[in-house]
Amino acid sequence: ANALGASLCLRTSARALHRSRDGWRVETDGGDVRCASVVVATNAYSGSLVPGLHRSVVALRASQVASRPLPEDMRTAILPQRHVASDRRRALISFRISPCGRLIVGGPGGTRGLRGPALQRAARRTGQALFGHLGTLDWEYGWSGHVAITRDSQPHLHEPERGLHVALGYNGEGLALGTALGKLVAERVCGRSAESMDVAITPIRRIPLHGVVGKAIALGERILPMVDRIEQRLT
């Protein structure tokens, strides 16, 4: 982006969006920005910038941990083809090998009631249970953040006003889906017709009883790992 002439303004909050005669005025901490088009790509961190947007998704916290670089024999035993893997438990667990040879484990799930450190401990336990028999797993890094869950488990594109483009709702698969939708939105900004888009542009639809739904999903995320463990023991 820098090489193509983009200006990146780190740690600068967009406070409000205002329509103007020639496009948009974005009110920020550091002053106003005027532009023809605005792309809102805030996912689970949408806030009140676009009316109703944050209530169209449920924000849940997820976590990942990364080990120190593993010996080649361990990397080969875990994922010989270096693909990304996830299991079929109700509380989803994912794992992959990074380009520098680290094992990265995500999950099991995120809830509103748990903060980053607790989730990271759970992810470390999961990694140890899956692959600890292969050798020492020394966990070096951990991080967490919010993912946006949609009612239909699909990403959404919105255009609430002319020149205002919104992409969000990746349901924990933002690395792949966010990249793909970013390309689509860029093409739309550059003039691609709405009818030719691979993902339909839809109105923003708020989730009914948003707060209740969020709490119910969070409760389910706590219960599902227990159901998985009981099922494992029974089978």
Side-chain angles (χ1 to χ4, degrees):
N2 275 328
L4 293 172
S7 298
L8 305 181
C9 303
L10 305 181
R11 298 179 178 84
T12 302
S13 296
R15 298 285 187 187
L17 300 173
H18 305 282
R19 283 297 305 262
S20 63
R21 280 189 308 175
D22 55 350
W24 290 88
R25 177 171 62 87
V26 185
E27 183 182 321
T28 81
D29 289 344
D32 290 356
V33 177
R34 297 184 181 276
C35 51
S37 300
V38 173
V39 176
V40 177
T42 46
N43 206 41
Y45 298 86
S46 294
S48 59
L49 191 64
V50 177
L53 186 60
H54 76 287
R55 291 186 176 273
S56 70
V57 298
V58 174
L60 292 179
R61 185 176 287 272
S63 182
Q64 291 193 332
V65 292
S67 71
R68 292 187 184 276
L70 301 178
E72 177 62 29
D73 60 336
M74 287 183 66
R75 298 199 298 267
T76 301
I78 293 171
L79 289 170
Q81 303 301 321
R82 298 294 188 269
H83 49 282
V84 178
S86 60
D87 66 12
R88 299 185 64 186
R89 303 183 207 206
R90 294 172 181 84
L92 183 67
I93 294 169
S94 63
F95 51 94
R96 58 192 169 96
I97 301 293
S98 74
C100 60
R102 301 176 189 273
L103 172 64
I104 300 178
V105 178
T111 72
R112 288 184 169 188
L114 291 178
R115 296 300 175 189
L119 283 171
Q120 290 168 26
R121 286 194 296 272
R124 287 195 293 269
R125 287 196 299 270
T126 298
Q128 198 69 35
L130 288 172
F131 305 116
H133 64 285
L134 297 173
T136 301
L137 291 172
D138 188 3
W139 303 103
E140 191 169 18
Y141 298 108
W143 60 95
S144 66
H146 287 103
V147 298
I149 307 298
T150 57
R151 290 180 68 185
D152 57 4
S153 300
Q154 298 294 320
H156 293 169
L157 290 180
H158 308 301
E159 291 182 11
E161 296 188 59
R162 183 178 178 183
L164 179 57
H165 307 270
V166 179
L168 83 169
Y170 305 120
N171 300 278
E173 299 177 348
L175 284 177
L177 294 178
T179 302
L181 259 69
K183 183 176 185 296
L184 275 181
V185 171
E187 292 172 357
R188 176 69 175 144
V189 170
C190 292
R192 181 171 177 175
S193 67
E195 294 75 21
S196 69
M197 295 283 281
D198 299 317
V199 177
I201 298 171
T202 59
I204 297 173
R205 294 188 176 93
R206 303 186 187 196
I207 296 175
L209 302 173
H210 182 267
V212 176
V213 171
K215 291 178 180 177
I217 293 176
L219 178 61
E221 288 283 346
R222 287 176 178 270
I223 294 173
L224 291 179
M226 292 190 293
V227 176
D228 285 332
R229 287 195 293 271
I230 293 170
E231 190 177 74
Q232 260 186 317
R233 289 170 184 167
L234 292 176
T235 57

